[in-house]
Amino acid sequence: MIGDRWGVTTSETLRTYPCDDFVVSPTLQAWRGVQVNVPAAAVWPWVAQLRLAPYSYDWIDNLGHRSPRQLEGLPAPQVGEAFTTAGGRKLGRIVSVDPGRQLTSTIMGAFMSYVLVPQEHNTTRLLLKVVMQTARWAAPGLSVGDLIMARRQLLNLKELAEHNGPSH
């Protein structure tokens, strides 16, 4: 499918993600990934902070409000709470969480898992998989749209974690 992969290896697309448990036979599957040059413990708080803002293109998905650039010291995410806040509105919900390892949520019919995979030399792979049951004709367009927004989100999370995290 067009736009279904960005920044991931074949083995990363073959692994099982928590979102796979929520959608049987998805018509849309998309994988995104980024290498973050700090340990997973420095990346996780930024993933958990998605509850405050989308961290993508703020002028599009946050009504021009800038996503926070400092950690706000949020409590651990809980199943059932809102996944994110955009333009002052709480959206989606968290459906699975393993603090420090993965956050899985649903929003607008899609399920997505953010997975942190510790690597050598205190680096982390931040992986995102999105699955959805949608019309086959709509899946390619949704995949490309997600690619644009998810790429920006992951790059922003990477930059913030590296800028604010421990030196490596």
Side-chain angles (χ1 to χ4, degrees):
M1 177 178 308
I2 299 170
D4 68 340
R5 297 174 189 199
W6 175 79
V8 291
T9 64
T10 299
S11 65
E12 289 170 337
T13 66
L14 297 175
R15 67 179 287 153
T16 301
Y17 291 78
C19 61
D20 297 327
D21 295 337
F22 295 93
V23 180
V24 177
S25 303
T27 48
L28 182 145
Q29 292 189 89
W31 298 264
R32 288 75 172 85
V34 67
Q35 181 78 18
V36 188
N37 296 314
V38 293
V43 180
W44 174 251
W46 291 102
V47 172
Q49 195 158 294
L50 286 169
R51 292 174 288 164
L52 293 182
Y55 284 93
S56 185
Y57 290 103
D58 287 334
W59 58 276
I60 294 174
D61 60 10
N62 205 18
L63 299 179
H65 300 284
R66 187 170 181 169
S67 296
R69 294 314 203 226
Q70 299 295 322
L71 289 172
E72 300 295 326
L74 297 177
Q78 301 293 317
V79 170
E81 77 177 293
F83 162 58
T84 193
T85 304
R89 293 183 45 224
K90 293 188 179 301
L91 302 171
R93 71 183 161 80
I94 296 171
V95 296
S96 172
V97 63
D98 184 357
R101 291 187 164 82
Q102 69 88 12
L103 177 73
T104 300
S105 63
T106 182
I107 190 168
M108 299 182 340
F111 286 81
M112 60 201 67
S113 292
Y114 296 82
V115 176
L116 284 73
V117 183
Q119 305 286 290
E120 294 179 341
H121 311 296
N122 286 324
T123 63
T124 305
R125 292 288 294 156
L126 174 55
L127 305 175
L128 169 61
K129 182 176 182 185
V130 179
V131 293
M132 185 177 193
Q133 187 61 257
T134 187
R136 291 209 180 277
W137 62 265
L142 291 169
S143 183
V144 169
D146 176 74
L147 172 61
I148 293 166
M149 302 306 280
R151 178 183 172 279
R152 172 54 32 219
Q153 180 187 65
L154 293 180
L155 289 173
N156 283 341
L157 294 174
K158 168 188 169 64
E159 178 185 335
L160 289 163
E162 289 177 353
H163 179 75
N164 295 291
S167 58
H168 44 282

